[in-house]
Amino acid sequence: MSKQIYDRVALIGLGLIASSMFWAIKRAGLVGEVTGYARSSETRDTARRIGLCDRVCDSAAEAAEGSDLVVLCVPVGAMESVMKEIAPVLKPGATISDVGSVKRHVIETVQPHIPEGVHFVPAHPLAGTEHSGPEAGFAELYDNRWCLLVPVENSDPKAVAALRGLWEGMGANVEEMEADHHDLVLAVTSHAPHLIAYTMVGVADDLRRVTDSEVIKYSAAGFRDFTRIAASDPTMWRDVFLTNKDATLEILGRFTEELFALQRAIRTGDGDHLFDYFTHTRAIRRGIIEAGQDTDAPNFGRERAKP
Ligand SMILES: NC(=O)c1ccc[n+]([C@@H]2O[C@H](COP(=O)([O-])OP(=O)(O)OC[C@H]3O[C@@H](n4cnc5c(N)ncnc54)[C@H](O)[C@@H]3O)[C@@H](O)[C@H]2O)c1
Ligand SMILES: O=C(O)C(=O)C[C@]1(C(=O)O)C=C[C@@H](O)C=C1
């Protein structure tokens, strides 16, 4: 039985996420033809050179025309303008999806431009690395990782089912989630942690210790992890914070309160507070492991598997 889910899929924006999708799609033979478009001619040239996409097009509209599924893989702040550009060429019955890290903003800016008869099923794969661009992708990125589908009101069940099939075929575990809830959950699990990592590395640099070779040489795993995360793409993360403002600010507010409490405990020598707090957080980590939910990037850094 054929595993093919769509005849033609267009990937708009050929970076880490789109290139990983392409290799994963090819690995499993999920799509007849994959077209692709990126804004810069340099990226399009690179894509052609490494065989990323069956056909690399010179405009988003050319890539989207005739496609059964178009996936917007650009930074969240660029989704609306791409959607406006491709809207006139979409074929009736096609599905528009995206991979943006924020969902409410994407729905508010993209949905108004979806033509009558075209389906819209936003999505977000919870997998990535600090690398970006067309050469950063690899087929295993989504293996055993979550992909959240965030259907809008009146999303066509068949369009949702087909997209679910595509993500499952790429190796992901799929669940559905409501947009505001998604944005709050991601503010806790991804957005605030990234901001904290950016800050920590910035603070260390202020102290002129990051570039000190001894600090790098002897830095413990915790700080190394911060520097990895703080190397993530500036455009992508600028857009995430500007478009998930409320949830991120709420979580950062709570974070600051907890931090102040810990700061006070250190200043006043309140060892009980510190011990109880760390005992509580250790129990959370152990609970995650016992529930089999440890998502420590098992696929980070693997070689890209060519189709
Ligand atoms: N990197 C991650 O860890 C991760 C994880 C999940 C979801 N996402 C989301 O996926 C999307 C893409 O992220 P990525 O990591 O692949 O980024 P990336 O920087 O690797 O790639 C983005 C691509 O989009 C192109 N682009 C930017 N603006 C464009 C425009 N206006 N028109 C056409 N192309 C344009 C860039 O040239 C680049 O090729 C973002 O919305 C991001 O929030 C990222
Ligand atoms: O593994 C990483 O480097 C990531 O930052 C991936 C990560 C995350 O925070 O978990 C980053 C952004 C996303 O939208 C989804 C996944």
Side-chain angles (χ1 to χ4, degrees):
M1 201 178 83
S2 166
K3 284 180 281 177
Q4 190 169 312
I5 295 172
Y6 297 99
D7 288 338
R8 193 192 292 174
V9 168
L11 303 174
I12 311 296
L14 298 176
L16 166 73
I17 296 300
S19 57
S20 297
M21 286 182 75
F22 176 74
W23 301 121
I25 283 170
K26 287 292 156 183
R27 180 182 65 175
L30 302 168
V31 174
E33 184 193 34
V34 180
T35 60
Y37 167 74
R39 191 179 40 169
S40 90
S41 58
E42 200 186 328
T43 303
R44 297 198 295 274
D45 289 346
T46 303
R48 288 183 181 115
R49 178 173 53 76
I50 65 174
L52 170 61
C53 293
D54 300 313
R55 188 157 54 88
V56 177
C57 303
D58 288 322
S59 76
E62 188 191 338
E65 192 162 16
S67 291
D68 304 291
L69 171 71
V70 181
V71 189
L72 309 179
C73 304
V74 297
V76 171
M79 301 255 177
E80 182 178 16
S81 64
V82 172
M83 186 58 222
K84 274 191 198 166
E85 190 188 333
I86 63 173
V89 303
L90 294 173
K91 77 173 189 189
T95 297
I96 295 290
S97 186
D98 78 301
V99 293
S101 304
V102 177
K103 295 277 59 100
R104 176 57 62 198
H105 180 86
V106 169
I107 292 170
E108 278 174 3
T109 55
V110 168
Q111 196 171 16
H113 307 290
I114 304 271
E116 193 70 29
V118 170
H119 308 296
F120 182 38
V121 188
H124 180 201
L126 305 187
T129 74
E130 72 280 24
H131 302 296
S132 52
E135 296 184 275
F138 52 100
E140 300 86 356
L141 180 64
Y142 307 114
D143 284 349
N144 235 350
R145 306 305 293 262
W146 290 109
C147 179
L148 299 175
L149 301 188
V150 184
V152 292
E153 217 181 320
N154 302 328
S155 273
D156 176 46
K158 280 191 190 147
V160 176
L163 189 67
R164 172 185 280 270
L166 184 77
W167 278 105
E168 287 176 347
M170 288 190 284
N173 302 313
V174 176
E175 277 194 358
E176 291 183 24
M177 196 178 269
E178 188 276 328
D180 293 327
H181 188 61
H182 166 279
D183 289 355
L184 184 62
V185 169
L186 267 291
V188 178
T189 59
S190 175
H191 305 169
H194 272 76
L195 199 75
I196 292 162
Y198 279 123
T199 314
M200 202 55 230
V201 174
V203 166
D205 192 43
D206 275 354
L207 298 174
R208 294 177 179 280
R209 289 182 189 157
V210 165
T211 48
D212 179 326
S213 65
E214 281 205 319
V215 171
I216 295 297
K217 186 171 169 187
Y218 300 121
S219 74
F223 187 69
R224 277 176 189 262
D225 286 350
F226 276 135
T227 61
R228 182 184 81 73
I229 290 173
S232 300
D233 187 67
T235 305
M236 169 188 157
W237 284 100
R238 176 202 63 195
D239 286 6
V240 166
F241 293 118
L242 292 181
T243 60
N244 196 19
K245 205 183 265 185
D246 293 348
T248 309
L249 289 178
E250 184 184 333
I251 300 306
L252 287 173
R254 293 189 195 192
F255 173 81
T256 312
E257 279 176 26
E258 304 269 313
L259 191 64
F260 279 150
L262 290 170
Q263 205 177 333
R264 190 175 55 244
I266 293 169
R267 194 179 58 247
T268 59
D270 185 351
D272 287 347
H273 180 91
L274 296 172
F275 185 84
D276 290 348
Y277 199 90
F278 301 153
T279 303
H280 175 62
T281 55
R282 171 188 262 190
I284 292 171
R285 168 72 187 169
R286 288 185 172 166
I288 291 171
I289 291 171
E290 275 160 26
Q293 299 281 317
D294 181 9
T295 55
D296 275 355
N299 44 21
F300 171 67
R302 285 207 197 142
E303 289 288 301
R304 178 175 62 227
K306 300 254 178 192

